[in-house]
Structures are given as structure tokens and as C-alpha cells.
């Protein structure tokens, strides 16, 4: 069975953009592949953060991923496998400063930081972030990495690093990871449908997957529809986004019926919104219930994920033993 690895930062609550764009796909991949899904808490240290918040958000993400249907044996917390950091150091020594400097996400995140606070400190961790990501992938010999297009450059770097390592040490040791660009719906911000749904712009810009139903309905109700500046004959991005959510929920009949209304100029946005809210409520009820069940025995769930992380760690340790051998480091007596 081929190996699949992906990671998600512990941002707190999952939003529907995360779900339709990544997590839903991960749940499906579990049937076909040997999966490693990681809550990448080390990565979240690259931007300013609070320690307690990080811990809380890491567990929150773990619980929500489980509630979405990720199997505990496929899930681990990155920092519970400290070998990722060790490999990251070793890989940083085969990565050129120049290629790392070309990573556009670093520049974007740096600008984002400076925009919020012009005196903000840009950590070198933020610069090294893509090497840690390469370590995440290479440490388990991943064949496929499901990611969005925004991660394409990081994937390419991971491949270059693997190649450089293999070449430098004269051994085809690391496998070349391939990106897995599955067609996933792109969900936009309900408040500004020219941007991707995301948490960095503020509360109005995302719809959390585990919101209570009332809240969910309110969030859909206040979504921007027509701003009046869309060219004649084109669907406004806000309306298109609502249709996209409906499609993502698998409600094609309702989607097509409303689309016919739209084409006939008979669509009422309030009807569209109500249908979207119904669809999301129906989809998320099971998730909320599962989360409720998991929350009823938090300690057991945490122990389970700590154990699965320990199990996964054994594979990472195996890789590190080999990498230490290959690179001329010593190994402990085993
Ligand atoms: N950088 C990824 C993101 O921001 C998260 C990530 C970390 C990741 N490590 C990974 C994704 C390894 C895929 C594989 O979305």
C-alpha cells in the first residue's frame, strides 16, 4: 500500500473551507492508502503565538479531525514525534540558502506579519518552515501528499531536498513524494468572496464546521451575495460561492433547481441561502454529535492519540537510525 502524508496547522476550529478543501478528501484516502495525518504544532510556532493557546488548539484540532472521520491510528501530533525536528536539521544542511529564499509563502507571511505590526519579529523558524515540512514528508517515505496549489512550491522543494540528499550520499534513500492535487471545491469568504475562506482575515471570513445550527444559519444569512459591481451576464462571486457550497454538500438536485431559477432570473437569494444552510446543517449534525461523544471522555481520546503518535514515532525513529548511519552521525547502542 502506498503512503500518504499530509498536515494541518492547529488553528483552533476547522472551517468549512478546511473541510471541503482537505479533510473530506483525507477521510476518503484512508480507504486506499496507508495514511499519516499530522496536526503540525511545530509549524505553528513560526508565527507569534501563546503557549496555552497552542496546546488548546492542538487538542481541538485532534478532536475535530476525529469527529470528521479521521481514524485515530492515522492521526498524530507532530511534536510527539520529535524526530521530525532532528531530520529537519539534517535536511537543512543539504538545502541551499538560495532556494529557501525563493519560497513565496515566506514572503507572504512576512508581509502579513508586518502589516499587523510593523515592528513584528520575523523568526528564522518561519524561514526554515519548508524544511520542516520536507522532513514531515520524507521521514515516512510518503508517496503522495494531498495539498492545495498553495503548497506546490513547498512540495517541489521537498523533492529537491530528497534528490540532493540522495545524490550527496550516493544512495537512493528517500522516495520522491508526488503531490496529490485532488479536485476539491474552493470555498470563499462569505464576507469578501474575492478571497479564500480563512481565519487570518477575521471572524466574518469563515464558517466553522462545528458551529451550533443557529450560528451556522446566521453566518449563511449574512453572506454577501450581489455587490452590484459584477459585470452584466456574470454570476457574482458571493452567489457562486453559495452554489459551490451546495455542490460540495452533495446536494446536486437542489443545486440544479436553483441554478435553473437563476438562469430564468427567478432566483431569490433568501431561498438559496436557506437551502445552503439546510444542507450544511444536515452535513454537520453527525459531526457535532461525534464531537460531543468524543468530548464526553476527553482523557481516553487524548490517550488514544498519544498512543497512535508513539506507534507512528517508531517508524520515524527507524528512518532516523538509517539517516544517521548514511550521514556519518553515530547511533546509540540498541
Ligand atoms: N504547510 C502546510 C499548510 O500550511 C501544512 C503542512 C505542514 C503540511 N507539514 C506538511 C502539508 C506536510 C503537507 C505535508 O497547509
Amino acid at each position: 500500500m502506498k503512503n500518504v502524508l499530509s498536515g494541518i496547522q492547529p488553528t483552533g476550529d476547522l472551517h468549512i473551507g478546511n473541510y471541503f478543501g482537505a479533510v473530506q478528501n483525507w477521510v476518503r484516502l484512508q480507504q486506499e492508502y496507508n495514511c499519516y495525518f499530522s496536526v503540525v504544532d511545530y509549524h505553528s510556532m513560526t508565527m507569534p503565538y501563546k503557549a496555552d493557546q497552542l496546546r488548546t488548539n492542538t487538542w481541538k484540532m485532534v478532536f475535530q479531525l476525529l469527529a470528521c472521520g479521521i481514524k485515530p491510528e492515522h492521526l498524530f501530533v507532530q511534536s510527539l514525534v520529535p524526530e521530525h525536528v532532528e531530520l529537519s536539521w539534517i535536511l537543512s544542511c543539504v538545502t541551499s540558502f538560495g532556494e529557501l529564499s525563493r519560497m513565496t509563502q515566506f514572503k507572504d507571511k512576512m508581509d502579513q506579519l508586518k502589516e499587523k505590526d510593523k515592528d513584528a519579529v520575523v523568526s528564522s523558524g518561519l524561514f526554515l518552515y519548508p524544511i520542516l515540512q520536507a522532513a514531515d514528508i520524507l521521514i515516512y517515505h510518503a508517496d503522495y501528499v494531498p495539498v492545495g496549489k498553495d503548497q506546490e512550491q513547498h512540495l517541489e522543494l521537498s523533492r529537491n531536498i530528497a534528490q540532493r540528499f540522495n545524490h550527496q550520499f550516493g544512495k537512493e534513500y528517500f522516495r520522491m513524494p508526488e503531490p496529490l492535487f485532488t479536485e476539491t471545491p474552493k470555498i470563499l469568504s462569505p464576507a469578501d468572496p474575492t478571497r479564500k475562506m480563512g481565519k487570518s482575515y477575521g471572524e466574518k471570513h469563515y464558517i466553522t464546521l462545528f458551529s451550533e445550527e443557529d450560528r451556522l444559519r446566521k453566518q449563511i444569512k449574512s453572506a454577501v451575495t450581489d455587490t452590484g459591481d459584477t459585470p452584466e451576464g456574470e454570476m457574482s462571486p458571493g452567489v457562486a460561492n453559495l452554489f459551490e457550497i451546495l455542490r460540495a454538500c452533495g446536494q446536486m438536485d437542489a443545486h440544479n433547481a436553483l441554478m435553473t431559477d437563476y438562469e430564468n432570473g427567478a432566483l431569490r437569494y433568501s431561498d438559496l441561502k436557506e437551502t445552503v444552510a439546510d444542507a450544511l446543517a444536515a452535513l454537520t449534525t453527525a459531526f457535532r454529535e461525534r464531537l460531543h461523544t468524543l468530548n464526553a471522555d476527553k482523557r481516553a481520546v487524548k490517550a488514544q492519540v498519544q498512543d497512535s503518535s508513539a506507534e507512528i514515532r517508531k517508524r520515524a525513529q527507524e528512518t532516523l537510525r538509517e539517516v544517521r548511519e548514511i550521514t556519518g552521525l553515530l547511533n546509540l547502542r540498541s
Side-chain angles (χ1 to χ4, degrees):
M1 227 197 259
K2 299 268 190 192
N3 297 332
V4 158
L5 178 135
S6 200
I8 188 165
Q9 287 206 32
T11 48
D13 291 301
L14 279 173
H15 58 65
I16 64 169
N18 300 136
Y19 180 71
F20 292 124
V23 180
Q24 186 181 41
N25 189 33
W26 293 5
V27 172
R28 293 191 189 124
L29 290 168
Q30 295 182 114
Q31 294 170 3
E32 254 180 273
Y33 298 102
N34 182 25
C35 290
Y36 298 86
F37 297 123
S38 184
V39 176
V40 293
D41 52 349
Y42 280 138
H43 276 98
S44 291
M45 300 172 82
T46 57
M47 295 283 260
Y49 76 98
K50 295 207 164 53
D52 284 340
Q53 195 70 45
L54 177 59
R55 200 174 358 252
T56 306
N57 284 346
T58 298
W59 282 124
K60 223 179 197 179
M61 191 57 85
V62 163
F63 276 69
Q64 295 191 4
L65 289 171
L66 292 171
C68 287
I70 299 293
K71 299 201 186 112
E73 61 269 31
H74 297 155
L75 187 62
F76 70 103
V77 174
Q78 186 188 31
S79 70
L80 294 179
V81 187
E83 284 74 15
H84 287 232
V85 175
E86 187 182 353
L87 182 59
S88 168
W89 171 257
I90 294 170
L91 296 179
S92 77
C93 298
V94 299
T95 308
S96 80
F97 185 81
E99 67 186 332
L100 204 51
S101 309
R102 286 193 291 276
M103 296 295 115
T104 55
Q105 197 177 70
F106 171 69
K107 293 185 196 99
D108 293 346
K109 290 204 174 174
M110 186 165 66
D111 293 346
Q112 204 179 306
L113 258 178
K114 293 281 179 192
E115 203 179 301
K116 271 195 199 139
D117 169 11
K118 66 175 175 30
D119 301 320
V121 173
V122 178
S123 71
S124 35
L126 186 62
F127 184 66
L128 298 174
Y129 176 116
I131 303 182
L132 181 58
Q133 183 166 348
D136 297 341
I137 296 167
L138 300 179
I139 206 166
Y140 303 109
H141 308 285
D143 298 283
Y144 299 115
V145 184
V147 281
K149 283 278 174 196
D150 64 321
Q151 293 297 315
E152 196 169 8
Q153 202 187 23
H154 287 167
L155 237 304
E156 198 53 43
L157 179 73
S158 300
R159 294 166 58 84
N160 289 343
I161 291 174
Q163 218 145 27
R164 183 99 32 76
F165 182 97
N166 291 351
H167 181 76
Q168 184 163 327
F169 297 102
K171 196 172 160 73
E172 288 303 306
Y173 180 70
F174 284 124
R175 218 172 283 177
M176 288 301 134
E178 303 273 352
L180 203 63
F181 297 124
T182 313
E183 245 339 290
T184 52
K186 297 266 169 309
I187 308 297
L188 306 171
S189 153
D192 176 3
T194 61
R195 301 204 261 196
K196 215 172 110 172
M197 181 171 288
K199 295 191 113 178
S200 41
Y201 314 120
E203 280 242 329
K204 289 202 175 81
H205 294 273
Y206 60 90
I207 297 168
T208 52
L209 194 61
F210 291 87
S211 297
E212 288 307 319
E213 199 173 321
D214 293 356
R215 170 116 195 279
L216 196 75
R217 289 187 183 277
K218 274 195 200 118
Q219 286 174 306
I220 294 294
K221 218 173 233 168
S222 58
V224 170
T225 46
D226 214 339
T227 44
D229 51 6
T230 308
E232 258 312 294
E234 261 180 45
M235 187 182 275
S236 69
V239 176
N241 194 36
L242 289 168
F243 273 110
E244 188 66 8
I245 296 173
L246 204 49
R247 177 202 287 276
C249 291
Q251 302 269 343
M252 287 319 286
D253 290 348
H255 174 280
N256 295 345
L258 289 163
M259 192 58 91
T260 307
D261 288 348
Y262 173 82
E263 281 157 6
N264 297 332
L267 176 68
R268 286 182 14 209
Y269 293 144
S270 56
D271 287 346
L272 174 60
K273 285 182 171 177
E274 200 175 308
T275 312
V276 170
D278 288 345
L280 278 176
L283 175 80
T284 57
T285 302
F287 297 161
R288 274 196 304 276
E289 284 170 5
R290 257 183 273 167
L291 186 61
H292 193 74
T293 311
L294 293 167
N295 278 334
D297 198 352
K298 282 208 168 90
R299 275 178 55 164
V301 175
K302 288 183 178 181
Q304 195 177 24
V305 173
Q306 282 166 319
D307 288 349
S308 71
S309 302
E311 204 48 50
I312 286 172
R313 185 179 181 196
K314 289 183 190 158
R315 282 164 247 172
Q317 284 174 320
E318 179 69 34
T319 301
L320 258 301
R321 233 189 320 276
E322 292 164 352
V323 165
R324 295 175 70 99
E325 186 69 35
I326 293 169
T327 56
L329 297 170
L330 309 188
N331 264 309
L332 282 165
R333 217 150 66 94
S334 56

